[in-house]
Each structure stands twice: as structure tokens, then as C-alpha cells.
Amino acid sequence: MLKATNNDIEKVRRLAGHSNIATTSRYLKDSYSDLADAVEALPKF
């Protein structure tokens, strides 16, 4: 849902009806390609 809607985790938490953001974050799993993309997006020095 987070990726599909391009929202932040707080909005997803509210949509899911979770009272604590820790509950929402438990379901977030980054794929290897997500992590690789994040590294590639880092500024080059």
C-alpha cells in the first residue's frame, strides 16, 4: 500500500487503522532492489 499509493507511513498507518506506527512498520519489508535503488540515489562525492 505504501508503494502503490506513494504515501508516507503515517497515512498508511491511519488507513490501516493501526494505533501505533510500530504495528505498521512491522509489515514493511524492503526488497533488495529497493535497497539498491536507495544506495544509487545517494549523492556522489
Side-chain angles (χ1 to χ4, degrees), residues 3-40:
K3 288 181 186 178
T5 60
N6 202 24
N7 282 313
D8 61 41
I9 191 172
E10 177 59 24
K11 289 178 185 171
V12 173
R13 180 198 65 80
R14 290 185 299 174
L15 288 169
H18 297 154
S19 60
N20 190 320
I21 203 155
T23 305
T24 310
S25 65
R26 180 180 303 164
Y27 297 101
L28 298 178
K29 303 279 192 259
D30 289 322
S31 70
Y32 178 78
S33 63
D34 291 334
L35 296 173
D37 290 344
V39 170
E40 289 298 316

